[in-house]
Amino acid sequence: MKEFAILAVLLLLVAGLAVGAFFLFAPAPRRWRAFARAQRLLQQGDWQAALVGVEAIPAQGLSTAWQAKLANTAGEAYQLGGDQLLQEKNYDTSLHNYLTAAHLLGLDENEQRSRVVEKMLADARKLFATGGGAVESNAILQLLVSVFSIQPLCPEASFWQGLCYLRLNQFDAARIALTTAHEGAGRVYLDPALYLGMMHIRAGQFVEGIRFLAEANRVDAGCAFVTLQMGIALVGGSGDVGTAVRTLQRALGPKGFGQWAQTPERAWVEACPEGHSYVRRLATKYPFVCPLLGGDLDSMTRQGRLALAQALYRQGNFQESADLYAKLLGETPPTAMLLRGLGLALARLGRYDQAYKHLRTALEQEEPKDPFTAGYLALCGAMGKPTQPEDKPRNVLWALKLIARFHPQMAGNAEWASLANTIHAEARALGLDIPIEDQVFVCDALASVRATDPPAAEAYAYLFKSFPDALQPIHAYLYCQSSLLHRLKGDHDLALFARAFQEPTAARAYFVKQKWDFDDLEYAFLERSAAKQPGRFPEVLGPEYAAQHGEAFLLARSRAQEDKGNKDAATTAVEVLLRLAPTATAAHDRLACLHYRRGDLDRAVALLSGWQRLAPHDPWPLIRQAIIEQQRGNAERRAKVIDEALGLTHGPIRAAVAFLGARLALQAGFRPAPKPEKRTKTPRDSANGVAEVTPTPDAVYAPVQNLLEECLRADPQHVEAQWCLAAVRACLGDEAGLATQAAAMNRPSVKDARFHYLGAVCHLAAHDYNGALELSRRAAADQALAVESHYLMAWAHLHLNDSAAASQALQKVVTVKTPSADHARALLGKLSYARGDYDDAIKWWNAVDAGRRVEWQFEEPLRQTVYLAGLTALEKQRYEQAADRFREAGKLGLSDKRLGGLLTLALIKAGQRLLFEQAK
């Protein structure tokens, strides 16, 4: 048993040694121990040792699970190594590690590259913030080159590259880099557009600058830096002044730079939009110094206030501009720009003595000299108050000499022209002798900007007065336009206008080019000539002007003004013509017409009388007087001038005058009498014939008939005179005259329906009833005469014994209310009576106006016809109808003793019939 126990122990010992040898020297246990050691090294951060350990484990023959474990551990080692190398700025090796790890661990290689790029950009931002010299800038550029080798399109890298180039004053390279950043970021980042805008502004390219700043503004409209630069660009680019002022005030206000007055270091952080600004990424960790604006926020705001002061000046708000310039001068050294700005603002405020010292100092500092600094300095010298009164002329002469140096280079500048002319006006007011070259210079400056204000007109006139030969045509054109616009009048008006019209073709071409009305200028010249040199047209216009153009021009202008409703201007234009050409009969005619239309009949008659004296053989002034005398109610004078006009005419004109006289006489004969004054008539009134007398038809129509006959003697084919004469003869009841006129009234070619209507009347008088029918049909084609034409047809049919046709024609007459309607009803009643239709006759006669029935005396026939209709009805056993007729006759006043009995009989018969019918 003891030996057995020893043997068992030995066996166990051998087994243990065998197991220990297995765990110590077998491949699997050794692999496990190496893997565990690599894991511990990885946890301790020793990625290199861990990687060596993992890579020492042979993978041949291992299972897929073991191979995955080894690959994963190696990947984690490479990843950890990439992190450590990246912190050590070993970017290339770090990237290699990251990419290897991505391969082993199945990670996204782009994300691995981005980790390296982000770290490199963070280092670039830090380096940019900590150093602003050339060494640091070049180091950043080298770093960014490495970024581009990893990520060729990297907008932020391009942006920082652009800012480094700005620090190195390599502006072209900076513009290319910033443009790449702007385009690469899809224009959703604020900074590239902001810096591109600022670069263009500093290069004087304001339009391009505003375009980029507008894109930055679309990214963030609240960024104070963008707003400030936009305002500066608008001022520099002469944009809308109001917009520039509002933009700058917003940028400098409490919601702009004012909110960082106590914490300027927060400006770039809070002003730039989060997630859309590269600068903000830097400024959240480090101080940012702008390569263009610097790092001093106060300096930026002063730049904005300077731009605001300039904008306020351009806006005309000189007081606020001066206050702002004065404040800036109190905060910064007195630069030429600030002194000039303050001086200009004070000068525009009229504070010349205060402005003078600032402008003088600014001009001394400026190189080259600014013309406006010199110009406003000269203005202050000329307009300021001298210490001694006798110094005033010397000061003005000094001012003239100073501005003369700049005249050639300032042609075409309106402000300069006005400024120079103000100084010249002061010299003119003092009566100083201004050299010819200085006067020509200032007039040329005014002409270069087409100045037509009153001071400019004064300068042109003064040059003409001093040196007439030096005045150029353009000076005269501008003087005349100024005189026209501002209604200026001077001693040399006519001479200056004459100078402008020496070459009218060239003058008209200039006015057309400027879109000015040359006709207005021509009229103004004629108007002033009429006032100062009446009796003739201006000699400069030529001897043939009056006949070929002048008279027609003024008459056409008068008509045009009247068409516009400007009656006074229309009258004035003709009065100008009459003063220039007193013998112009057309002027008398036109002016008389205008006074007539305005109701000034006395003045119109006086003008026509003047025309008659100038042209005693011209009938037209007499004809026009006749019309006016008619309106004035002076029939005697009207008849006289018509007779005089007839004595001066013959042929168709004589016929027209006679016809006019006839119409006027006819109109006067039936004019409503004026309402008499309310006063008591006296016996003396009756004795003197004051009582109103209604003219008899003979008194009215006789002179009319004579004139119409005179018209037809001069022109037998005068259509209106023919039918008017027929109408007058009809009114006079002259059947013989109408009959003799019938032959002349048969003219089918005439279109006037009135002619044919009166022709039908004439043919009725001549007993030519078929002719009357034909002419009536022609007249009926005119709807206005259709009814009365059918009335004439009815008479013709009656004379031709065609009762049916006459009745049809009369039926068309009674449907319309006309003067012939009642007579047509009476005739219809007569026709009905004639054929025994008493009821129809009663109907038509009852329809006639009661007053007309009395006038025509057929009241009694109507009563008798009603009585007869009752008897007829009684005879025909129509008892109720008979009773109605007997009652009607009674109401109409029929006095017949039998009427009562007949009415009783009719009623009894009607009752018996009724009882008999009921009994059945």
Side-chain angles (χ1 to χ4, degrees), residues 241 245 249 308-325 341 344-346 348-349:
V241 181
V245 169
Q249 287 174 339
L308 179 58
Q310 294 170 340
L312 290 168
Y313 177 86
R314 284 172 47 197
Q315 195 180 41
N317 197 339
F318 303 120
Q319 185 60 61
E320 286 191 39
S321 177
D323 293 342
L324 205 48
Y325 275 120
L344 293 179
L346 291 172
R348 297 300 293 271
L349 288 168

Side-chain angles (χ1 to χ4, degrees), residues 189 292 408 883:
Y189 271 76
L292 289 179

